[in-house]
Amino acid sequence: VDVPNGKENFGNLVESLEKGAKKKFYEMYELDKWRYNIAMEEFIEKPSISITEYFDVRLVKYLPYIGLFNDQHSAVTKQFKNEKVQRLLEWPVIFVGGSPRDIPEMYSMLNYTAIGGGTLMPEGGMYSTIIGMKRVADELGVEFIMEHSVSKVDIYDGEIIRCMANDKYFYADK
């Protein structure tokens, strides 16, 4: 399937695969957009150092709608019967690192970003990004220590100050 960018174009695609799917897709897209905006406004700025950062009474009101308690596969297959449509709407969550059956529905916000903003790839593929970052780090004098398992990270005032790997402490530069 040639997957187009944009809400309208994608809506037309799903409608061509499953009659009546365009309306359901638009509803899902708006929910995904809402989830994305909530994530950006309420969660993305948190440093994620402690689970207690998310114990905020203001966030409780979002729990029934955010999609924490349902998986992406169930959410999609409940709405759409066509297997191609299902796969198209499950595809972006694989980048979270798991199966749509194991990834919470809230990650459907990735559909909003991928469909609405388009999917872009770096020239040379994803690995070229890593190579570029490594080149810049080398130029800045970053020392890479490989094949160590990190067992502890010490944070002070929101910044990593040291970590323990293979029973040895490594200190962060200031």
Side-chain angles (χ1 to χ4, degrees):
V1 174
D2 185 15
V3 182
N5 287 330
K7 176 183 169 183
E8 295 293 326
N9 294 331
F10 195 90
N12 291 335
L13 171 62
V14 298
E15 184 66 25
S16 75
L17 297 169
E18 180 179 327
K19 187 160 179 59
K22 186 176 190 176
K23 181 180 184 296
K24 292 186 282 186
F25 163 69
Y26 284 170
E27 291 169 359
M28 181 178 277
Y29 182 88
E30 291 304 315
L31 179 58
D32 294 343
K33 179 180 178 180
W34 176 82
R35 286 179 176 143
Y36 174 83
N37 287 328
I38 292 300
M40 292 315 222
E41 293 166 11
E42 301 290 347
F43 298 103
I44 205 74
E45 294 297 323
K46 295 185 184 303
S48 297
I49 294 169
S50 168
I51 189 74
T52 59
E53 295 170 42
Y54 301 96
F55 296 163
D56 184 335
V57 73
R58 295 176 309 117
L59 303 180
V60 172
K61 66 184 176 189
Y62 301 133
L63 286 177
Y65 314 104
I66 205 79
L68 282 174
F69 308 113
N70 196 16
D71 63 84
Q72 177 69 2
H73 176 76
S74 298
V76 168
T77 57
K78 181 179 174 184
Q79 294 291 323
F80 303 95
K81 301 306 173 212
N82 181 281
E83 189 174 336
K84 285 184 181 177
V85 173
Q86 292 171 355
R87 298 302 160 254
L88 287 167
L89 292 169
E90 289 177 341
W91 179 76
V93 300
I94 65 169
F95 292 102
V96 176
S99 163
R101 294 176 189 272
D102 300 324
I103 302 293
E105 179 188 6
M106 75 175 186
Y107 285 98
S108 66
M109 72 178 93
L110 297 174
N111 286 336
Y112 166 70
T113 61
I115 295 165
T119 302
L120 305 173
M121 294 294 289
E123 198 173 308
M126 294 299 289
Y127 187 67
S128 66
T129 304
I130 297 166
I131 298 299
M133 292 172 68
K134 171 82 165 72
R135 185 175 55 246
V136 169
D138 287 340
E139 290 170 5
L140 294 172
V142 173
E143 177 187 2
F144 288 87
I145 302 167
M146 307 298 203
E147 298 184 27
H148 281 59
S149 297
V150 175
S151 57
K152 184 179 179 186
V153 177
D154 293 328
I155 298 168
Y156 177 75
D157 199 22
E159 293 186 22
I160 296 172
I161 56 170
R162 68 181 183 175
C163 69
M164 178 179 277
N166 293 10
D167 297 320
K168 181 180 174 187
Y169 275 109
F170 296 87
Y171 292 83
D173 293 339
K174 283 285 178 180

Coordinates of all heavy atoms in Angstrom, one line a residue, residues 70-139:
N70 N -5.5 0.0 27.8 CA -5.8 -0.7 26.6 C -4.6 -0.8 25.7 O -3.9 0.2 25.6 CB -7.1 -0.1 26.0 CG -7.8 -1.0 25.0 OD1 -7.6 -2.2 25.0 ND2 -8.6 -0.4 24.1
D71 N -4.5 -1.9 24.9 CA -3.4 -1.9 24.0 C -3.8 -1.4 22.6 O -5.0 -1.3 22.3 CB -2.8 -3.4 23.9 CG -3.9 -4.3 23.4 OD1 -4.0 -4.4 22.1 OD2 -4.6 -5.0 24.2
Q72 N -2.8 -1.0 21.9 CA -3.0 -0.4 20.5 C -3.8 -1.4 19.6 O -4.7 -1.0 18.9 CB -1.7 0.0 19.9 CG -1.8 0.6 18.5 CD -2.5 1.9 18.5 OE1 -2.9 2.5 19.5 NE2 -2.7 2.4 17.3
H73 N -3.4 -2.7 19.6 CA -4.1 -3.7 18.8 C -5.6 -3.7 19.0 O -6.4 -3.7 18.1 CB -3.4 -5.0 18.9 CG -4.1 -6.1 18.1 ND1 -3.9 -6.2 16.8 CD2 -4.9 -7.1 18.5 CE1 -4.6 -7.3 16.3 NE2 -5.2 -7.8 17.4
S74 N -5.9 -3.8 20.3 CA -7.4 -3.9 20.7 C -8.1 -2.7 20.3 O -9.2 -2.8 19.8 CB -7.5 -4.2 22.2 OG -6.9 -5.4 22.6
A75 N -7.5 -1.5 20.5 CA -8.2 -0.3 20.1 C -8.4 -0.2 18.6 O -9.5 0.2 18.2 CB -7.3 0.9 20.6
V76 N -7.5 -0.6 17.8 CA -7.6 -0.5 16.4 C -8.6 -1.6 15.9 O -9.5 -1.3 15.1 CB -6.2 -0.7 15.7 CG1 -6.3 -0.9 14.2 CG2 -5.4 0.6 16.0
T77 N -8.4 -2.8 16.3 CA -9.3 -3.9 15.8 C -10.8 -3.7 16.3 O -11.7 -4.2 15.6 CB -8.8 -5.3 16.2 OG1 -8.6 -5.4 17.6 CG2 -7.4 -5.5 15.5
K78 N -11.0 -3.0 17.3 CA -12.3 -2.7 17.8 C -13.0 -1.7 16.8 O -14.2 -1.8 16.6 CB -12.3 -2.1 19.2 CG -13.6 -1.7 19.8 CD -13.4 -1.1 21.1 CE -14.7 -0.6 21.7 NZ -14.5 0.0 23.0
Q79 N -12.3 -0.9 16.2 CA -12.8 0.2 15.3 C -12.8 -0.3 13.8 O -13.7 0.1 13.0 CB -12.0 1.5 15.4 CG -12.1 2.1 16.7 CD -13.5 2.7 16.9 OE1 -14.2 3.2 16.0 NE2 -14.0 2.6 18.1
F80 N -11.8 -1.0 13.4 CA -11.6 -1.3 12.0 C -11.5 -2.8 11.8 O -10.8 -3.5 12.5 CB -10.3 -0.6 11.5 CG -10.3 0.8 11.7 CD1 -9.7 1.4 12.8 CD2 -11.0 1.7 10.8 CE1 -9.7 2.8 13.0 CE2 -11.0 3.0 11.0 CZ -10.4 3.6 12.1
K81 N -12.2 -3.3 10.7 CA -12.2 -4.8 10.4 C -11.2 -5.1 9.3 O -10.8 -6.3 9.3 CB -13.7 -5.2 10.0 CG -14.7 -4.9 11.1 CD -14.3 -5.5 12.4 CE -15.3 -5.1 13.5 NZ -14.6 -5.0 14.8
N82 N -10.9 -4.2 8.4 CA -10.0 -4.5 7.3 C -8.6 -4.7 7.9 O -8.0 -3.8 8.5 CB -10.1 -3.4 6.3 CG -9.1 -3.7 5.1 OD1 -7.9 -3.5 5.2 ND2 -9.7 -4.2 4.0
E83 N -7.9 -5.8 7.5 CA -6.6 -6.1 8.1 C -5.6 -5.1 7.6 O -4.7 -4.7 8.4 CB -6.2 -7.5 7.7 CG -4.9 -7.9 8.4 CD -4.5 -9.4 8.1 OE1 -5.4 -10.2 7.8 OE2 -3.3 -9.7 8.3
K84 N -5.7 -4.6 6.4 CA -4.7 -3.6 5.9 C -4.8 -2.3 6.7 O -3.8 -1.7 7.1 CB -4.8 -3.3 4.4 CG -4.3 -4.4 3.6 CD -4.4 -4.1 2.1 CE -3.8 -5.2 1.3 NZ -4.0 -4.9 -0.2
V85 N -6.1 -1.9 7.0 CA -6.3 -0.7 7.8 C -5.8 -0.9 9.2 O -5.1 0.0 9.7 CB -7.8 -0.3 7.8 CG1 -8.1 0.9 8.8 CG2 -8.3 0.1 6.4
Q86 N -6.0 -2.0 9.7 CA -5.5 -2.3 11.1 C -4.0 -2.2 11.1 O -3.4 -1.6 12.0 CB -5.9 -3.7 11.5 CG -7.4 -3.9 11.8 CD -7.8 -5.3 12.0 OE1 -7.0 -6.2 11.8 NE2 -9.1 -5.5 12.3
R87 N -3.3 -2.8 10.1 CA -1.8 -2.8 10.1 C -1.3 -1.4 9.9 O -0.3 -1.0 10.5 CB -1.3 -3.7 9.0 CG -1.6 -5.2 9.2 CD -1.1 -5.8 10.5 NE -1.9 -7.0 10.8 CZ -2.8 -7.1 11.8 NH1 -3.1 -6.1 12.5 NH2 -3.4 -8.2 12.0
L88 N -2.0 -0.6 9.1 CA -1.5 0.8 8.9 C -1.6 1.6 10.1 O -0.8 2.5 10.4 CB -2.4 1.4 7.8 CG -2.1 1.0 6.4 CD1 -3.2 1.5 5.4 CD2 -0.8 1.5 5.9
L89 N -2.7 1.4 11.0 CA -2.8 2.1 12.2 C -2.0 1.5 13.4 O -1.9 2.2 14.4 CB -4.3 2.2 12.5 CG -5.1 3.1 11.5 CD1 -6.6 3.0 11.7 CD2 -4.7 4.6 11.6
E90 N -1.5 0.3 13.2 CA -0.7 -0.3 14.3 C 0.8 0.0 14.0 O 1.6 0.0 14.9 CB -0.9 -1.8 14.3 CG -2.3 -2.2 14.9 CD -2.5 -3.7 14.9 OE1 -1.8 -4.4 14.2 OE2 -3.3 -4.1 15.7
W91 N 1.1 0.2 12.8 CA 2.5 0.3 12.3 C 3.4 1.3 13.1 O 4.5 1.0 13.6 CB 2.6 0.6 10.8 CG 4.0 0.7 10.3 CD1 4.8 -0.3 10.1 CD2 4.7 1.9 10.0 NE1 6.0 0.2 9.6 CE2 6.0 1.5 9.6 CE3 4.3 3.3 10.1 CZ2 6.9 2.5 9.2 CZ3 5.3 4.2 9.7 CH2 6.5 3.8 9.2
P92 N 2.9 2.6 13.3 CA 3.8 3.5 14.0 C 4.3 3.1 15.4 O 5.4 3.4 15.8 CB 3.0 4.8 14.1 CG 2.1 4.7 12.9 CD 1.7 3.2 12.8
V93 N 3.4 2.3 16.1 CA 3.8 2.0 17.5 C 4.9 1.0 17.6 O 5.5 0.8 18.7 CB 2.6 1.5 18.4 CG1 1.5 2.6 18.5 CG2 2.0 0.2 17.9
I94 N 5.3 0.3 16.5 CA 6.4 -0.6 16.6 C 7.7 0.1 16.9 O 8.6 -0.5 17.4 CB 6.5 -1.5 15.3 CG1 6.9 -0.7 14.1 CG2 5.3 -2.4 15.1 CD1 7.3 -1.5 12.9
F95 N 7.7 1.4 16.6 CA 8.9 2.2 16.9 C 9.1 2.4 18.4 O 10.2 2.9 18.8 CB 8.9 3.5 16.1 CG 9.1 3.2 14.7 CD1 8.0 3.3 13.8 CD2 10.3 2.9 14.1 CE1 8.1 3.1 12.5 CE2 10.4 2.6 12.8 CZ 9.3 2.7 11.9
V96 N 8.1 2.1 19.2 CA 8.2 2.2 20.7 C 9.0 1.0 21.2 O 9.6 1.0 22.2 CB 6.8 2.3 21.3 CG1 6.9 2.3 22.8 CG2 6.1 3.5 20.8
G97 N 9.1 -0.1 20.4 CA 9.9 -1.2 20.7 C 9.1 -2.5 21.1 O 9.6 -3.3 21.8
G98 N 7.9 -2.6 20.6 CA 7.2 -3.8 21.0 C 6.0 -4.0 20.0 O 5.9 -3.3 19.0
S99 N 5.3 -5.0 20.3 CA 4.1 -5.4 19.5 C 2.9 -4.5 19.8 O 2.8 -4.1 21.0 CB 3.7 -6.8 19.8 OG 2.4 -7.1 19.4
P100 N 2.1 -4.2 18.9 CA 0.9 -3.4 19.2 C 0.0 -4.0 20.2 O -0.8 -3.4 20.9 CB 0.1 -3.3 17.8 CG 1.2 -3.4 16.8 CD 2.2 -4.4 17.4
R101 N 0.1 -5.3 20.4 CA -0.6 -6.1 21.5 C -0.1 -5.8 22.9 O -0.7 -6.0 23.9 CB -0.6 -7.6 21.2 CG -1.3 -8.0 20.0 CD -1.1 -9.5 19.7 NE -1.6 -9.9 18.4 CZ -2.9 -10.2 18.2 NH1 -3.8 -10.2 19.1 NH2 -3.2 -10.6 16.9
D102 N 1.2 -5.3 22.9 CA 1.8 -5.0 24.2 C 2.0 -3.5 24.5 O 2.4 -3.1 25.6 CB 3.2 -5.6 24.3 CG 3.1 -7.1 24.1 OD1 2.1 -7.8 24.6 OD2 4.0 -7.7 23.4
I103 N 1.8 -2.6 23.5 CA 2.0 -1.2 23.6 C 0.7 -0.5 24.0 O -0.3 -0.7 23.3 CB 2.5 -0.6 22.3 CG1 3.8 -1.3 21.9 CG2 2.7 0.9 22.4 CD1 5.0 -1.0 22.8
P104 N 0.7 0.3 25.0 CA -0.6 1.0 25.4 C -1.1 1.8 24.3 O -0.4 2.4 23.5 CB -0.2 1.9 26.6 CG 1.0 1.2 27.2 CD 1.8 0.6 26.0
E105 N -2.4 1.9 24.2 CA -3.2 2.7 23.2 C -2.7 4.1 23.2 O -2.8 4.7 22.1 CB -4.7 2.6 23.5 CG -5.5 3.3 22.5 CD -7.0 3.4 22.9 OE1 -7.3 2.9 24.1 OE2 -7.8 3.9 22.2
M106 N -2.3 4.7 24.3 CA -1.9 6.1 24.3 C -0.8 6.4 23.2 O -0.7 7.5 22.8 CB -1.4 6.5 25.7 CG -0.1 6.1 26.1 SD 0.4 6.8 27.6 CE 2.0 6.2 27.8
Y107 N 0.0 5.4 22.9 CA 1.0 5.6 21.8 C 0.4 5.8 20.4 O 1.2 6.0 19.5 CB 2.1 4.5 21.9 CG 3.0 4.7 23.1 CD1 2.8 3.9 24.2 CD2 4.0 5.6 23.0 CE1 3.6 4.1 25.3 CE2 4.9 5.8 24.1 CZ 4.6 5.0 25.3 OH 5.5 5.2 26.3
S108 N -0.9 5.7 20.3 CA -1.5 6.0 19.0 C -1.3 7.4 18.6 O -1.5 7.8 17.5 CB -3.0 5.7 19.1 OG -3.7 6.6 20.0
M109 N -0.9 8.2 19.6 CA -0.5 9.6 19.2 C 0.6 9.7 18.2 O 0.7 10.6 17.4 CB -0.1 10.4 20.5 CG 1.3 10.0 21.0 SD 1.8 11.0 22.4 CE 1.2 10.0 23.8
L110 N 1.3 8.6 18.0 CA 2.3 8.5 17.0 C 1.6 8.5 15.6 O 2.2 8.9 14.6 CB 3.2 7.3 17.1 CG 4.0 7.2 18.4 CD1 4.8 5.9 18.6 CD2 5.0 8.4 18.4
N111 N 0.4 8.0 15.5 CA -0.3 8.0 14.3 C -0.6 9.5 13.9 O -0.5 9.8 12.7 CB -1.7 7.3 14.4 CG -1.5 5.8 14.4 OD1 -0.5 5.3 13.9 ND2 -2.4 5.1 15.0
Y112 N -0.9 10.3 14.9 CA -1.2 11.7 14.6 C 0.0 12.4 14.0 O 0.0 13.1 13.0 CB -1.7 12.4 15.9 CG -1.6 13.9 15.7 CD1 -2.5 14.6 14.9 CD2 -0.7 14.6 16.4 CE1 -2.4 16.0 14.8 CE2 -0.6 16.0 16.3 CZ -1.5 16.7 15.5 OH -1.4 18.0 15.4
T113 N 1.2 12.1 14.6 CA 2.4 12.8 14.1 C 2.8 12.2 12.8 O 3.3 13.0 11.9 CB 3.6 12.7 15.1 OG1 3.9 11.3 15.4 CG2 3.2 13.3 16.5
A114 N 2.7 10.9 12.6 CA 3.2 10.3 11.3 C 2.3 10.6 10.2 O 2.7 11.0 9.1 CB 3.3 8.8 11.5
I115 N 1.0 10.6 10.4 CA 0.0 10.9 9.3 C -0.1 12.4 9.1 O -0.1 12.8 7.9 CB -1.4 10.2 9.6 CG1 -1.2 8.7 9.7 CG2 -2.4 10.7 8.6 CD1 -2.4 8.0 10.3
G116 N -0.2 13.1 10.1 CA -0.4 14.6 10.0 C 0.9 15.3 9.5 O 0.8 16.2 8.7
G117 N 2.0 14.8 10.1 CA 3.3 15.5 9.7 C 4.1 14.8 8.7 O 5.1 15.4 8.2
G118 N 3.7 13.6 8.4 CA 4.5 12.8 7.4 C 5.6 12.1 8.1 O 6.0 12.4 9.2
T119 N 6.1 11.1 7.4 CA 7.2 10.3 7.9 C 8.5 10.6 7.2 O 8.5 10.5 5.9 CB 6.9 8.8 7.8 OG1 5.7 8.5 8.5 CG2 8.0 7.9 8.4
L120 N 9.4 11.1 7.9 CA 10.7 11.5 7.2 C 11.8 10.6 7.7 O 11.9 10.2 8.8 CB 11.0 13.0 7.6 CG 9.9 14.0 7.3 CD1 10.3 15.3 7.9 CD2 9.7 14.1 5.8
M121 N 12.7 10.3 6.8 CA 13.9 9.5 7.1 C 15.1 10.3 6.8 O 15.2 11.0 5.8 CB 13.8 8.2 6.2 CG 12.7 7.3 6.5 SD 12.7 6.6 8.2 CE 14.1 5.4 8.0
P122 N 16.2 10.1 7.6 CA 17.4 10.8 7.3 C 18.1 10.2 6.1 O 17.9 9.0 5.8 CB 18.3 10.6 8.6 CG 17.6 9.4 9.3 CD 16.2 9.4 8.9
E123 N 18.8 11.0 5.4 CA 19.5 10.5 4.2 C 20.5 9.4 4.7 O 21.3 9.6 5.6 CB 20.3 11.6 3.5 CG 20.7 11.4 2.1 CD 21.3 12.6 1.5 OE1 20.6 13.7 1.5 OE2 22.4 12.5 1.0
G124 N 20.5 8.3 4.1 CA 21.4 7.2 4.5 C 20.8 6.3 5.5 O 21.4 5.3 6.0
G125 N 19.5 6.5 5.9 CA 18.9 5.7 6.9 C 19.1 6.1 8.3 O 19.9 7.0 8.6
M126 N 18.4 5.4 9.3 CA 18.5 5.8 10.7 C 19.9 5.6 11.2 O 20.4 6.4 12.1 CB 17.6 4.9 11.5 CG 16.1 5.1 11.2 SD 15.6 6.8 11.5 CE 15.6 6.9 13.3
Y127 N 20.7 4.7 10.8 CA 22.0 4.5 11.3 C 22.9 5.7 11.0 O 23.9 6.0 11.8 CB 22.7 3.2 10.7 CG 24.0 2.8 11.3 CD1 24.0 2.4 12.7 CD2 25.1 2.9 10.6 CE1 25.2 2.1 13.2 CE2 26.4 2.6 11.2 CZ 26.4 2.2 12.5 OH 27.6 1.9 13.1
S128 N 22.7 6.4 9.9 CA 23.5 7.6 9.6 C 23.3 8.7 10.7 O 24.3 9.4 10.9 CB 23.1 8.2 8.2 OG 21.8 8.7 8.2
T129 N 22.2 8.7 11.4 CA 22.0 9.6 12.5 C 23.0 9.3 13.6 O 23.6 10.2 14.2 CB 20.6 9.6 13.0 OG1 19.7 9.8 11.9 CG2 20.3 10.5 14.1
I130 N 23.1 8.0 13.9 CA 24.0 7.6 14.9 C 25.5 7.9 14.6 O 26.2 8.4 15.4 CB 23.9 6.0 15.2 CG1 22.4 5.8 15.7 CG2 24.9 5.5 16.2 CD1 22.0 4.3 15.7
I131 N 25.8 7.6 13.3 CA 27.2 8.0 12.9 C 27.4 9.5 13.0 O 28.5 9.9 13.5 CB 27.4 7.5 11.4 CG1 27.2 6.0 11.3 CG2 28.7 8.0 10.8 CD1 28.2 5.2 12.1
G132 N 26.5 10.3 12.6 CA 26.6 11.7 12.7 C 26.8 12.2 14.2 O 27.6 13.1 14.5
M133 N 26.0 11.6 15.1 CA 26.1 12.0 16.5 C 27.4 11.6 17.1 O 28.1 12.3 17.8 CB 24.9 11.3 17.3 CG 23.6 11.9 16.9 SD 22.2 11.0 17.7 CE 22.4 11.4 19.4
K134 N 27.9 10.4 16.7 CA 29.2 9.9 17.1 C 30.3 10.8 16.6 O 31.3 11.2 17.4 CB 29.4 8.5 16.7 CG 30.8 7.9 16.9 CD 31.0 7.4 18.3 CE 32.2 6.5 18.5 NZ 33.5 7.1 18.4
R135 N 30.2 11.3 15.4 CA 31.3 12.2 14.8 C 31.3 13.5 15.6 O 32.4 14.0 16.0 CB 31.0 12.4 13.3 CG 32.1 13.2 12.6 CD 31.8 13.4 11.1 NE 30.5 14.0 10.8 CZ 29.5 13.3 10.2 NH1 29.7 12.1 9.8 NH2 28.4 13.9 10.0
V136 N 30.2 14.1 15.9 CA 30.1 15.3 16.6 C 30.7 15.1 18.1 O 31.4 15.9 18.6 CB 28.7 15.9 16.7 CG1 28.6 17.0 17.7 CG2 28.2 16.3 15.3
A137 N 30.3 14.0 18.7 CA 30.8 13.7 20.0 C 32.3 13.6 20.0 O 33.0 14.1 20.9 CB 30.1 12.4 20.6
D138 N 32.8 12.9 19.0 CA 34.3 12.7 18.9 C 35.0 14.1 18.8 O 36.0 14.4 19.4 CB 34.7 11.8 17.7 CG 34.4 10.4 18.0 OD1 34.2 10.0 19.1 OD2 34.2 9.6 17.0
E139 N 34.4 15.0 18.0 CA 34.9 16.3 17.8 C 34.9 17.1 19.1 O 35.8 17.9 19.3 CB 34.1 17.0 16.7 CG 34.4 16.5 15.3 CD 33.4 17.1 14.3 OE1 32.6 18.0 14.6 OE2 33.4 16.6 13.1

